[in-house]
Structures are given as C-alpha cells and as structure tokens.
Amino acid sequence: MKKGIIMNKLFLSLIISSSLSFAGMINGIALTVNDEPITLYDIEKTMQVNKVGKNEAVGYLVDKILYDQLVQENNITADIFDVNDYIEKLANANGMDLYTFKSIIKQKYPDYSVFENEAKNIVIRQKLVQKIVKGQLTVATQEDMELHYEKNKNDFLTAKSFEVVQYSSTNKASLIKTLNNPLAVASDVQKANLTLDTQNLPAQMQYLLNETKPNSFTPIFTANKQFVSLFLVRKNGTTALAFESVKGKIFNEIMSTREKKYLKDYFEKQKLTADIKIVR
C-alpha cells in the first residue's frame, strides 16, 4: 500500500514539474484528471490571474476539478433561497439587519451579482463539507472563540470614536438629493455634527462605520422613524471591539478555516487515487 502511495505521489510530481513540456500547442491538452482535460491555456491563464508559478497553477486546477467532480457526484446545488439564507445569517453574525448589510455590500461590490456568486460558492462548500464530513468536523466552542479573539485582537481593532456629520429626513428622496450635493441641503433634511464613542454604539453601527471610508457617506439606514446617513469625517484612536460583538464573526472564521483544511486534506487523499494522465 505504501509503495502504491509513493508511486502515485511521484507520478503527480512528475506531471507538475516536467511533463507539461510534451504538449506542443497553447490550446492543447496537457493532462487529464479522471478524463477531464486541463489545457496549457488553462495553466497559463491561472498563472496570470493568480500570479503563481506553473506547479502551483497545475495543483490549483487539479484540486478544482476534483472539487467540482465531488460536488457533481453528491448532487450538491445552491439556489437563491440558500444564498439569501446564508447572507441573512452573515448579517446577523455582524449584528446587522439584512437591508443595511446589503447596502454596505453594494458599496463594496458595484456588481452585486459577484458577491452573490461568492456566497453561492461558500454555501456549496458548506454543503459538501456536511456531506463528506459526517460529524467529523469539530464545532467551535466558547473557549475556541475566546482563544481566537485573544490571539488575533489586531483583527478586531476599531476607532475609539468617529467624527461624523449626520444627515436625516423623513423624506428619503430629499435625503438622497442632499447626499448627491451636500452643499445644497434640502429644507426637510436636518444636519448635525456628532462625535460617536465606539463603546456606546450598537454592533450594527460599529460595523457600518468601520466599513465606511473617511470622507464618504454610509448607506442610508432608518433610525427613530427617519432616514439617516452619516458622513464620516475622521476616525480617532484605536480600541478592540468587545468579544461579544464579534463572537458570531469569530465562529464563522474558525469554522470556515476548519472546513477549508478538511477539504484540503481530503483532496490530498483524492489525488492518490485520481486517474491523472499526461497527454503528449
């Protein structure tokens, strides 16, 4: 058995390191993985996009094919309801309502469908892990999360306070018009300079301000039966967010890391039995 594993590893190593030179055309097939082809064009494109060498590109493509084949074999899919459920859970983990969370995401992703596609891929990965793990993946405990928080406190730093200009109105159209031209404040829009201390802010507002760049507006949100947007002037000082306010995020980070590690180890074993052939 050990001899077979060593031979398989040696075979894959030879494929990655030297055998690609036998393929003569840029669009020619370099190798196949369980009869699915990888072309030289695929390899060159992966090298350029991921900024990696040939060995890493081939390894990435082999892993991707094995992953896609496993997803297909297990009939795993993710529909719009699965994606929306995941996004809602993500919003809750960050202490936000779905509407505000989507507004922030749309600031980061001019094409919202790109984010939805990323969310879909995560849902598929989670379903695959659930299918093949069968209870083998350890769920993060309170102790795990606290330890992660202490070891990675720099990842949870925020400003001690935020200097903002608050624009509010019961008329959303007027508020939008003012945000597009702040020098001409509509008569039904109120403007106020505020300094907000982080320790007094709910988790949703902390996330909102942390994700907003200085000299720009937050997405419009509702508060006290008004539509509100904050113009972030300056962030002052630094402090660590309270553990409880980032607990949900930490849990997701730990479980995501464990899922990826499990899949990586799983695919390393898959490579040993995969039918990988060189096409000359």
Side-chain angles (χ1 to χ4, degrees), residues 26 39-49 54 57:
I26 190 63
T39 67
L40 282 181
Y41 174 75
D42 295 330
I43 297 169
E44 292 292 334
K45 184 177 179 181
T46 301
M47 289 170 64
Q48 292 175 8
V49 172
K54 185 177 290 184

Side-chain angles (χ1 to χ4, degrees), residues 243-261:
F243 170 74
E244 287 299 324
S245 70
V246 292
K247 185 176 176 180
K249 182 180 179 181
I250 291 173
F251 178 84
N252 289 340
E253 286 180 359
I254 293 174
M255 295 310 297
S256 178
T257 299
R258 290 180 180 178
E259 287 170 4
K260 289 175 181 176
K261 184 181 184 306

Side-chain angles (χ1 to χ4, degrees), residues 13-32:
S13 175
L14 287 172
I15 289 173
I16 293 175
S17 63
S18 61
S19 299
L20 297 178
S21 60
F22 287 103
M25 299 172 61
I26 190 63
N27 61 344
I29 297 173
L31 62 150
T32 61

Side-chain angles (χ1 to χ4, degrees), residues 107 158-167 179 182 191-198 201 205-219 221 228-237:
Q107 270 194 340
T158 182
K160 285 186 177 179
S161 65
F162 301 89
E163 292 182 31
V164 302
V165 180
Q166 176 179 281
Y167 293 82
L179 299 187
K191 178 181 176 183
N193 295 320
L194 303 172
T195 297
L196 305 175
D197 291 327
T198 297
L201 295 176
M205 189 61 68
Q206 290 177 7
Y207 186 95
L208 193 67
L209 290 170
N210 277 316
E211 293 299 313
T212 301
K213 295 179 181 178
N215 299 315
S216 61
F217 288 98
T218 67
F221 58 94
V228 181
S229 179
L230 304 175
F231 180 80
L232 181 57
V233 178
R234 187 180 298 108
K235 299 180 181 183
N236 299 319

